[in-house]
């Protein structure tokens, strides 16, 4: 039952991170029956905090988790552990180490498409922040190709922003319109309005009043 309870928290983290954080706090790690469950619990604490936008302040927990799953790849969790290694080091401001762990996640043969998509998107964001556009652009394209649900809207928009920064207006407009079409599928008025503002900025830049 312990594993099923942890799995339930894992699934809730995707839709309600705050509830997942509260649920993980009700579990006493010492009561878990196996090391697999204990390290799954440790990974879930990192994952739920990340989903709830709680900044990571130390790498000690994730390094312990990664070491365990490198030697006991329970339930195909190693690529997920590598991904959160990247997230932790992103929060710690260590971009090279973050990129290294995102690459490790992507290189895992058992990585699922969703984890791969978010790993590419995270790498793209780091490269973009460092203005390494020749690496950011293909990373965003790969994330878009993997089509990770609502995140695809942000990937399309962010890639459009990169092209806009480089004065590649035609490419930016194409991506903004793709993002706009995506909001209609998602039926999100908020995202629809936000991408309209991006389109308006491009038209203003071109004096297309």
């Amino acid at each position: 039952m312990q594993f099923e309870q942890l799995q339930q928290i894992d699934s809730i983290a995707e839709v309600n991170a705050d509830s997942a954080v509260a649920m993980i706090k009700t579990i006493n790690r010492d009561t878990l029956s196996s090391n697999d469950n204990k390290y799954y619990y440790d990974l879930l604490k990192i994952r739920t905090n990340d989903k709830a936008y709680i900044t990571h302040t130390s790498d000690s927990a994730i390094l312990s988790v990664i070491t365990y799953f490198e030697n006991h790849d329970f339930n195909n969790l190693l690529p997920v552990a590598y991904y959160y290694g990247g997230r932790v080091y992103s929060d710690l401001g260590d971009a090279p180490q973050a990129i290294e762990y995102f690459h490790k996640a992507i290189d895992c043969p058992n990585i699922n498409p969703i984890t791969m998509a978010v790993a590419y998107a995270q790498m793209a964001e780091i490269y973009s922040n460092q203005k390494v556009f020749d690496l950011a652009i293909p990373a965003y394209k790969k994330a878009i190709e993997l089509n990770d649900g609502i995140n695809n809207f942000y990937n399309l928009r962010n890639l459009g922003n990169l092209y806009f920064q480089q004065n590649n207006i035609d490419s930016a407009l194409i991506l903004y319109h793709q993002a706009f079409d995506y909001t209609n599928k998602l039926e999100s008025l908020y995202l629809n309005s936000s991408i309209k503002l991006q389109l308006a900025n491009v038209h203003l830049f071109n004096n297309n009043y």
Side-chain angles (χ1 to χ4, degrees):
M1 183 61 188
Q2 291 176 342
F3 173 65
E4 287 76 12
Q5 184 181 8
L6 293 171
Q7 274 192 317
Q8 182 185 18
I9 295 171
D10 203 350
S11 62
I12 289 171
E14 283 296 322
V15 293
N16 192 331
D18 291 336
S19 292
V21 169
M23 290 174 70
I24 202 77
K25 287 180 179 178
T26 66
I27 298 175
N28 183 345
R29 186 184 191 275
D30 293 337
T31 65
L32 298 176
S33 59
S34 69
N35 283 333
D36 283 346
N37 284 337
K38 287 178 180 178
Y39 282 96
Y40 186 20
Y41 166 89
D42 292 340
L43 179 58
L44 279 181
K45 283 188 69 175
I46 296 165
R47 172 170 155 73
T48 54
N49 284 342
D50 191 72
K51 289 288 184 181
Y53 301 104
I54 298 171
T55 302
H56 306 290
T57 58
S58 170
D59 63 355
S60 58
I62 191 61
L63 290 179
S64 177
V65 166
I66 287 170
T67 298
Y68 182 80
F69 287 120
E70 282 178 336
N71 293 289
H72 312 83
D73 193 6
F74 169 65
N75 207 38
N76 293 335
L77 289 172
L78 180 59
V80 180
Y82 282 145
Y83 170 79
Y84 283 104
R87 287 292 306 125
V88 167
Y89 282 109
S90 291
D91 277 0
L92 295 176
D94 190 339
Q97 196 78 308
I99 292 291
E100 179 181 339
Y101 277 108
F102 289 137
H103 271 299
K104 283 185 175 183
I106 289 167
D107 290 340
C108 285
N110 59 330
I111 188 173
N112 65 63
I114 292 175
T115 303
M116 184 178 286
V118 292
Y120 273 116
Q122 288 292 321
M123 287 197 298
E125 183 176 346
I126 291 173
Y127 289 136
S128 178
N129 290 338
Q130 296 178 330
K131 301 191 183 305
V132 187
F133 298 135
D134 59 326
L135 294 178
I137 288 171
Y140 271 130
K141 286 182 176 179
K142 189 64 180 179
I144 290 166
E145 179 186 324
L146 291 162
N147 192 10
D148 175 26
I150 191 171
N151 287 333
N152 223 35
F153 164 82
Y154 296 105
N155 293 330
L156 289 165
R157 184 199 65 185
N158 293 344
L159 182 54
N161 290 344
L162 287 188
Y163 282 128
F164 188 34
Q165 290 175 47
Q166 295 179 304
N167 291 324
N168 188 341
I169 305 303
D170 290 342
S171 294
L173 280 172
I174 289 170
L175 286 157
Y176 287 152
H177 278 293
Q178 288 177 353
F180 176 78
D181 291 340
Y182 213 79
T183 65
N184 293 327
K185 295 177 185 177
L186 297 171
E187 298 182 351
S188 171
L189 292 176
Y190 171 76
L191 295 180
N192 187 277
S193 297
S194 70
I195 200 64
K196 282 179 179 177
L197 287 174
Q198 300 289 87
L199 284 164
N201 286 332
V202 175
H203 291 308
L204 287 171
F205 181 80
N206 281 340
N207 298 319
N208 294 328
Y209 302 114

